[in-house]
Amino acid sequence: GSHDTMTYCLDENSAVSANESKLVKFLNKCMPCIVHPIIMKWSTTQVLTVTEQLEAGVRYLDFRIAHKANDPSMNLYFVHMVYTTVTVQDILWEVLRWLEMHPQEVVILACRNFDGLTKKLHCHLIACIKEIFQCKLCPRNVSTRSSFPPLRIIYYTNLHPTVWMRELNLTAMSVELWDNCRDCQYLMCHLLIFVSEKFFVAGINLTENLRYILVHPFGSLKTMTLQSLPCLKIWIKQQYPGPKKECINIIAGDFIGNDDFVKDVIELNTKT
């Protein structure tokens, strides 16, 4: 999986998300030439397009969906501090085209955040998903142990009553992996475990705080992540897939095209 899948196309001219803190919006308004480039560097988690991610082996897409403030249209975008240049509908069509070229593959869409979405906009999103994928959507009555039919796509959200796996419990854990890192007091690896019956997803991503950014004004999330890949690689290789509570079935990370992240995750299947 890829964490914050759509950040490869963040809009450099975008306003800061309405969901961000007043301090961030104030600083960006007062010093846009300084603050906005920093926001872009620390918001970007992927460089591969969604098609390139799917080609690389990703089958779990993390979609943070939002509606721009004061936008009279029904257009929905992706967001991570700022909005993307592409709309949600454009990307859903792109995923569909890839699925049609790979009829034996299954893709999971994790739709969440929903910043600025009213009930009407949320229903619009669900309608778009159903209209675009149609019979390719995985039926709600399919067991996690069943063999999925070809050309199916699974999607879920914890806010809408008509989608698959709607009862989604979230447990968040923070794990310190950098015993020998001089900046370990600032860096944490967050494991977000989504649990539904025997379905487990772990999102591993480094999270910086404001103090870390101020100490590293010329740094970026990419630089920080690439430096820590050896530690993440060790953790991945220690995991086991399966239905038990301590097992993980999907691992989503940042900058998935770097190192052997996809290969290491897929190789965990040999442990079964």
Side-chain angles (χ1 to χ4, degrees), residues 25 126 148 150 161 163 194 226 243-244:
K25 287 186 283 189
I126 298 299
F148 292 110
V163 296
F194 296 85
L226 296 184
K244 297 181 180 180

Side-chain angles (χ1 to χ4, degrees), residues 87-107:
T87 66
V88 171
Q89 280 182 287
D90 290 338
I91 295 303
L92 294 180
W93 283 112
E94 187 173 340
V95 173
L96 173 66
R97 288 191 292 271
W98 187 88
L99 278 171
E100 290 178 334
M101 295 175 63
H102 302 82
Q104 299 302 318
E105 297 295 334
V106 174
V107 175

Side-chain angles (χ1 to χ4, degrees), residues 127-241:
C128 288
I129 291 174
K130 290 182 176 180
E131 177 186 1
I132 291 171
F133 295 110
Q134 298 184 29
C135 63
K136 295 176 178 62
L137 291 172
C138 183
R140 289 183 62 191
N141 60 354
V142 172
S143 167
T144 53
R145 295 185 180 183
S146 301
S147 297
F148 292 110
L151 263 181
R152 293 288 183 179
I153 186 164
I154 304 167
Y155 73 104
Y156 65 82
T157 164
N158 59 350
L159 294 183
H160 200 277
T162 64
V163 296
W164 193 68
M165 292 200 301
R166 60 182 174 139
E167 298 299 332
L168 198 64
N169 298 316
L170 173 63
T171 302
M173 298 184 297
S174 296
V175 178
E176 181 61 77
L177 297 178
W178 295 272
D179 293 334
N180 299 320
C181 176
R182 60 185 176 183
D183 296 318
C184 65
Q185 64 266 38
Y186 307 130
L187 304 182
M188 298 295 286
C189 176
H190 289 266
L191 306 182
L192 302 181
I193 313 298
F194 296 85
V195 183
S196 181
E197 296 179 353
K198 294 182 175 63
F199 186 82
F200 301 86
V201 180
I204 57 171
N205 54 283
L206 303 182
T207 301
E208 76 293 335
N209 57 23
L210 182 58
R211 182 179 179 183
Y212 184 87
I213 293 176
L214 293 175
V215 173
H216 302 80
F218 302 107
S220 67
L221 187 59
K222 183 175 182 178
T223 300
M224 187 176 75
T225 300
L226 296 184
Q227 290 174 344
S228 303
L229 280 179
C231 297
L232 295 176
K233 187 181 181 76
I234 293 172
W235 182 87
I236 290 171
K237 287 181 174 293
Q238 293 172 342
Q239 304 313 303
Y240 286 84

